Amino acid sequence: MAKNVRMLHCRPEDVFDVLSDGWLYTTWVVGASRMRGVDAAWPAVGSQLHHSFGSWPLVIDDATTVLEWDPPRRMTIQPKGWPIGEARVELAVEPHRLGCKVTIVENPVAGPGSLVPGFIVQPLIWIRNRETLRRLGWLAAGRAQTV
């Protein structure tokens, strides 16, 4: 289980403002390279983002599904990235005197990636999600300043 925690200088509602805009997914998720579509129901449970990951010309089209949507506290998604596999990603947001504390927990759940020993894959996920939370924080704080 890769777990990252970051303090963001914005309100939990500002974080969920970003999460609710599916078109921003590739802006804050490291590895996602382009958006192809967002279900009209996004971010309702069961709705999907249609995205690609990788760098051109080696991009793979896939989707991310919402498993839980409880703003401004929690979002759980299941991104697909075949042939690597699928992961379950939980974002938990708590108010804090400095803004909010965001915790991201990611675990491979299906496919070849789920067979890689944790001591190998978890540090790599942790490094990627460190940057993911940094990007999410900049985006949420920046959008909050324009409101």
Side-chain angles (χ1 to χ4, degrees):
M1 167 182 79
K3 177 179 178 180
N4 297 71
V5 179
R6 187 171 185 88
M7 300 303 302
L8 305 184
H9 300 290
C10 60
R11 303 170 308 141
E13 292 82 4
D14 299 324
V15 173
F16 275 82
D17 178 54
V18 172
L19 299 177
S20 70
D21 186 342
W23 289 103
L24 294 176
Y25 187 76
T26 56
T27 306
W28 61 273
V29 175
V30 173
S33 58
R34 64 182 177 201
M35 289 301 302
R36 297 178 295 106
V38 177
D39 286 359
W42 181 267
V45 172
S47 63
Q48 291 188 326
L49 296 175
H50 307 277
H51 55 82
S52 304
F53 70 94
S55 296
W56 186 89
L58 303 173
V59 293
I60 296 174
D61 293 342
D62 237 316
T64 291
T65 303
V66 178
L67 303 177
E68 179 183 10
W69 177 252
D70 182 23
R73 291 175 288 284
R74 181 179 316 283
M75 176 186 205
T76 305
I77 56 177
Q78 188 153 332
K80 294 180 182 178
W82 288 92
I84 298 168
E86 300 178 29
R88 180 149 306 144
V89 179
E90 178 183 306
L91 288 148
V93 184
E94 302 172 42
H96 188 275
R97 63 182 175 81
L98 299 176
C100 64
K101 178 175 92 170
V102 180
T103 303
I104 186 170
V105 176
E106 181 173 345
N107 285 304
V109 295
S114 66
L115 302 175
V116 178
F119 71 91
I120 295 172
V121 73
Q122 295 302 324
L124 300 173
I125 294 171
W126 185 88
I127 291 167
R128 182 173 60 84
N129 284 341
R130 181 176 163 206
E131 177 62 19
T132 290
L133 285 185
R134 184 178 300 158
R135 292 178 185 187
L136 180 60
W138 287 329
L139 198 54
R143 284 172 59 109
Q145 292 174 7
T146 61
V147 175

